[in-house]
Amino acid sequence: MRQDLAKMVYDDIGFEDITTCALIPPGLNVKGRVMAKESGIIAGVGLAVDIFAEFGVETDLMVMDGEKIDNGQIIMEIFGDPRNILSVERTALNLLMRMSGIATVTRNIIEKVHSVNPNVLVAGTRKTTPGLQFFEKNAIRSGGGDTHRYRLDDSVLIKDNHLALVGGVDEAISRARKYISFTKKIEIEVESLEEAMLAVRAGADIVMLDNMEPAEVKHVIEFLKKENLRDNAIIEVSGGINSDNIIQYANTGADVISTGYITHSARSLDLSLDLDNIHQ
């Protein structure tokens, strides 16, 4: 992972940071700090430390991932060669800001959901930025959310296009069960009460009710209870869920709410890096 972070910086620098090399002589040391310019939840501090360390910059953390920060609060202090600091500044800040934005949205969503249902999990989806999915998923965790799948090999998730090619819920779950290890769960995406019943009876571990209105979700869950099948599978809801309607889904009785909103619609948290006190 440290090599991946270093590559991000080198990709940004190219052959050299010509501005810094032109203006700043070698052999200096400088002290500085990363500061919050708005309140939120911090995430990615460990990655920022790794980036700075790769380029010989020392860090002293004031907060840890998942902690609430206020406008003006110092996130970390840094000390080292200003040529190195300025060269890695943008990459380190971009990751910190992106991850903190996701963590902040996640925490806000969870607080809203838990005000009506403290037992439901809020999870991310794989609607992440290619190449950044590991970092964005970890930001969800820092915000208190569930990461869901990091990659396709984490678990089976049978979606509508799989079903269209295989021919049905029973056959899809049967093929998956024969193929995978007992250590992997099988989740299936369904769009109707009939498919949900088939999925539970076929032994799916998780049934995702996709793009259903809250009233439909309640109906499915009540019917499963009536048939004594409610406890046979985890019930997840997903599709079109955002900050405006998530309370309605939290009141359905579902176990998990998964939403891409916390990644694809998160705004980066505003942070800055300031330098001072040059020492010869």
Side-chain angles (χ1 to χ4, degrees), residues 80-100:
D81 187 335
R83 290 162 66 106
N84 289 342
I85 294 172
L86 292 170
S87 295
V88 305
E89 170 189 7
R90 191 71 265 155
T91 303
L93 278 181
N94 281 350
L95 274 175
L96 269 175
M97 291 168 65
R98 172 65 178 153
M99 291 179 67
S100 298

Side-chain angles (χ1 to χ4, degrees), residues 188-197 207-221 224 235-241 245 248-249 252 254 257:
I188 186 165
E189 181 182 282
V190 301
E191 297 180 344
S192 67
L193 171 61
E194 292 72 24
E195 285 186 337
M197 297 296 291
V207 176
M208 179 198 292
L209 308 181
D210 187 47
N211 287 310
M212 289 189 184
E213 295 296 324
E216 295 178 272
V217 173
K218 283 184 178 180
H219 179 61
V220 170
I221 291 174
L224 289 172
I235 303 299
E236 177 182 341
V237 293
S238 191
I241 300 174
N245 62 17
Q248 297 173 341
Y249 285 97
T252 61
I257 300 172

Side-chain angles (χ1 to χ4, degrees), residues 89-184:
E89 170 189 7
R90 191 71 265 155
T91 303
L93 278 181
N94 281 350
L95 274 175
L96 269 175
M97 291 168 65
R98 172 65 178 153
M99 291 179 67
S100 298
I102 291 172
T104 300
V105 170
T106 301
R107 182 70 57 82
N108 291 340
I109 286 287
I110 288 173
E111 288 177 353
K112 181 180 287 192
V113 165
H114 284 181
S115 70
V116 298
N117 184 351
N119 298 316
V120 68
L121 289 178
V122 174
T125 68
R126 289 184 62 251
K127 291 180 180 177
T128 52
T129 309
L132 295 180
Q133 56 264 44
F134 175 82
F135 307 113
E136 292 177 346
K137 288 285 191 178
N138 279 357
I140 291 171
R141 175 183 281 130
S142 294
D146 189 280
T147 58
H148 214 293
R149 297 187 301 169
Y150 276 87
R151 308 188 310 183
L152 292 173
D153 58 358
D154 281 343
S155 65
V156 172
L157 204 172
I158 303 166
K159 301 176 75 67
D160 56 351
N161 284 329
H162 296 115
L163 291 174
L165 296 173
V166 172
V169 170
D170 284 332
E171 180 64 18
I173 292 175
S174 176
R175 290 189 190 185
R177 187 67 69 191
K178 290 176 183 177
Y179 183 82
I180 64 168
S181 166
F182 73 94
T183 62
K184 300 290 186 181

Side-chain angles (χ1 to χ4, degrees), residues 3 19 34 42 50 54 63 66 99 112-113 139 162 209 220 223 231 251 264-265 268 274 277:
Q3 291 177 333
T19 307
V34 175
I42 194 69
D50 285 344
E54 187 71 22
V63 295
M99 291 179 67
K112 181 180 287 192
V113 165
H162 296 115
L209 308 181
V220 170
F223 199 86
D231 295 333
N251 279 319
H264 66 61
S265 295
S268 293
D274 300 313
N277 299 335

